Amino acid sequence: MLLKSTELLFSIFFMSNKLLKLIIYILNTPLYWVSSCMPTNSNIWIFGAWFGEKYADNSKYLFEYVNQSHSEIRAIWFSTNKNVIRFLNQKGYEAYYTYSWRGYYLGAIAKFVFLSSAFTDVNQYVCSTKRTTIIQLWHGTPLKKIHFDDKFNTFLNPTGINHIIKSIKEWIFPFLGRDYDYMVSSSELVSNCYHSAFRINKKKILLTGYPRNDVFFNKINNGDKPSIVYMPTHRNEGEFNVTSFFSNHLESINDKLSQQDITLYIKLHYYHLNNCNIKNLSNIIYINDKAIDQDIYTIINNFDILITDYSSIYFDYLLSNKPIIFAPFDLEEYTRKDRELYFNYNDVTAGPKCQNWDEVIVELIKFISGVDDYKKERQIINNRFNTFQDGNNSKRVVEFIKQQI
């Protein structure tokens, strides 16, 4: 009886949520058509990231570069997070609530819009008209299959009646079916993935490198003690509690790290922030979003070693030429149930592959003692996935857009 009541409540909530979304779409459709007729300003550039909730990723670094190097451009950040808006305003940047009157007006007259995740990074109702140029910066080189290539994604790849419903919705509400005008890529190999995943013409994929990766060419001052960061990728879009891979072993891992005087930092994917129950120990520290202003790239270059499984961050970290330890504890199950991979895992991962935390600790000690047998392999893979290794990625993106003007 209780189970049936719970299912009924969930169904009511789901239906009411869909009804609310439909009402919002209907109310915004006239605004979409009005904004389609408004003249655009080539010097107004709109930026957003992570569904409007965060100030991070490629959009952030391009936004700051434009503000610092191109005073002729009015760079504006859109967000649904008022803390982000307050933070940026205090730094002297122009930022507005996405669905404020400024969010609608400036979004309607901006010529260029930059995203890192989806159209909901900004005001999709007025920023997605055909006279606006949309540049998708994305959020990392894909190891995992994404978008239309991801067969597990039933929302993007509907079949039967669901496919018909999706097509009708995009016809009635054109802001739901808008394609990107350009994408930014780090190499030809990556461009091929985007071409397939987003069904975008390869001529529209800009080989510039990712703006966020410019941080790897900034000077840093590492501390005396080695610092390690563990960054597992998300599972099932955040539905699976990824902390199970290490939470049961925290005390043991901490003891071994303490014996070696090693500090391990743990940073979970954005999708897992709400189901994290990690406690800090003497040599294990959990990094929350607030401590790093929602952006791991503010400190990523300070770490001496990266530990990860299938996170695309390791492609970026290759630019640091520092060791990477891979922990694909569930590789077979992950690729069978969660995401397929674009590449053979062993062919593109330059570093030891560990099956448990005992093996990870052994490899950590080797690297810290100066034993690094993967330098040449890292550089080979780095060259395959990062064409540009000069810290000028943001500059290249802006130069391309300026040429369009």
Side-chain angles (χ1 to χ4, degrees), residues 73-92:
I73 298 171
R74 186 179 177 186
I76 304 168
W77 190 272
F78 278 6
S79 179
T80 55
N81 186 332
K82 293 185 177 180
N83 290 327
V84 168
I85 297 168
R86 190 179 304 112
F87 171 77
L88 289 174
N89 290 159
Q90 290 173 350
K91 293 184 70 173

Side-chain angles (χ1 to χ4, degrees), residues 13-260:
F13 172 78
F14 181 73
M15 291 303 295
S16 62
N17 189 44
K18 292 189 75 173
L19 180 60
L20 176 61
K21 189 175 288 187
L22 177 62
I23 293 171
I24 292 172
Y25 288 167
I26 292 172
L27 292 175
N28 277 281
T29 299
L31 296 174
Y32 169 86
W33 291 114
V34 169
S35 63
S36 296
C37 302
M38 296 177 66
T40 58
N41 187 328
S42 296
N43 287 326
I44 296 180
W45 296 13
I46 303 297
F47 297 79
W50 287 101
F51 319 112
E53 298 174 10
K54 296 180 65 176
Y55 178 60
D57 234 298
N58 287 310
S59 297
K60 168 187 173 179
Y61 290 94
L62 186 61
F63 174 73
E64 293 188 355
Y65 171 79
V66 170
N67 270 288
Q68 294 162 9
S69 305
H70 290 274
S71 58
E72 76 280 8
I73 298 171
R74 186 179 177 186
I76 304 168
W77 190 272
F78 278 6
S79 179
T80 55
N81 186 332
K82 293 185 177 180
N83 290 327
V84 168
I85 297 168
R86 190 179 304 112
F87 171 77
L88 289 174
N89 290 159
Q90 290 173 350
K91 293 184 70 173
Y93 294 137
E94 194 172 2
Y96 301 111
Y97 184 73
T98 304
Y99 302 110
S100 64
W101 71 266
R102 287 190 180 91
Y104 277 93
Y105 174 69
L106 292 170
I109 65 172
K111 177 60 179 174
F112 298 100
V113 173
F114 299 85
L115 316 171
S116 283
S117 296
F119 277 106
T120 49
D121 292 359
V122 294
N123 189 328
Q124 65 175 330
Y125 307 114
V126 293
C127 288
S128 60
T129 60
K130 290 185 178 180
R131 80 240 194 289
T132 305
T133 301
I134 309 294
I135 300 94
Q136 172 61 272
L137 305 172
W138 203 234
H139 47 270
T141 295
L143 171 65
K144 307 176 290 288
K145 287 191 175 181
I146 56 174
H147 221 65
F148 290 113
D149 289 342
D150 178 12
K151 71 177 184 181
F152 297 107
N153 191 328
T154 55
F155 175 77
L156 284 172
N157 299 298
T159 57
I161 187 65
N162 291 326
H163 176 73
I164 296 173
I165 292 173
K166 183 174 182 288
S167 299
I168 293 173
K169 282 173 61 178
E170 292 177 355
W171 181 74
I172 298 174
F173 306 117
F175 43 78
L176 297 178
R178 175 71 152 88
D179 294 324
Y180 307 125
D181 294 297
Y182 297 100
M183 287 197 70
V184 164
S185 170
S186 61
S187 74
E188 286 292 338
L189 199 60
V190 177
S191 296
N192 290 334
C193 297
Y194 289 156
H195 170 62
S196 172
F198 295 93
R199 298 174 183 172
I200 184 173
N201 190 317
K202 284 197 70 175
K203 294 180 180 178
K204 300 291 186 178
I205 303 175
L206 315 178
L207 185 53
T208 60
Y210 302 126
R212 71 183 185 186
N213 284 352
D214 290 343
V215 302
F216 288 103
F217 300 89
N218 298 332
K219 292 182 179 180
I220 59 170
N221 293 312
N222 286 340
D224 296 330
K225 296 182 180 180
S227 61
I228 323 299
V229 63
Y230 172 50
M231 296 183 64
T233 195
H234 65 81
R235 303 296 197 284
N236 296 118
E237 308 302 312
E239 295 300 320
F240 175 80
N241 192 344
V242 73
T243 60
S244 62
F245 287 116
F246 54 88
S247 57
N248 296 331
H249 313 284
L250 278 179
E251 296 288 348
S252 174
I253 297 170
N254 187 72
D255 289 342
K256 293 174 181 177
L257 292 171
S258 178
Q259 294 171 14
Q260 301 294 326

Side-chain angles (χ1 to χ4, degrees), residues 61 210-220 296-297 299-303 306 312-322 386 389-391 393:
Y61 290 94
Y210 302 126
R212 71 183 185 186
N213 284 352
D214 290 343
V215 302
F216 288 103
F217 300 89
N218 298 332
K219 292 182 179 180
I220 59 170
I296 189 63
Y297 281 77
I299 60 171
I300 188 63
N301 204 22
N302 296 332
F303 294 107
L306 168 69
S312 65
I313 196 169
Y314 85 84
F315 287 116
D316 297 349
Y317 196 76
L318 287 168
L319 289 163
S320 71
N321 197 26
K322 297 175 184 175
N386 294 303
Q389 302 171 25
D390 56 9
N393 297 342

Side-chain angles (χ1 to χ4, degrees), residues 306-337:
L306 168 69
I307 304 171
T308 188
D309 43 24
Y310 326 112
S311 173
S312 65
I313 196 169
Y314 85 84
F315 287 116
D316 297 349
Y317 196 76
L318 287 168
L319 289 163
S320 71
N321 197 26
K322 297 175 184 175
I324 305 171
I325 296 174
F326 294 93
F329 301 153
D330 63 337
L331 178 58
E332 183 179 347
E333 182 179 6
Y334 182 82
T335 54
R336 182 166 49 88
K337 294 183 178 180

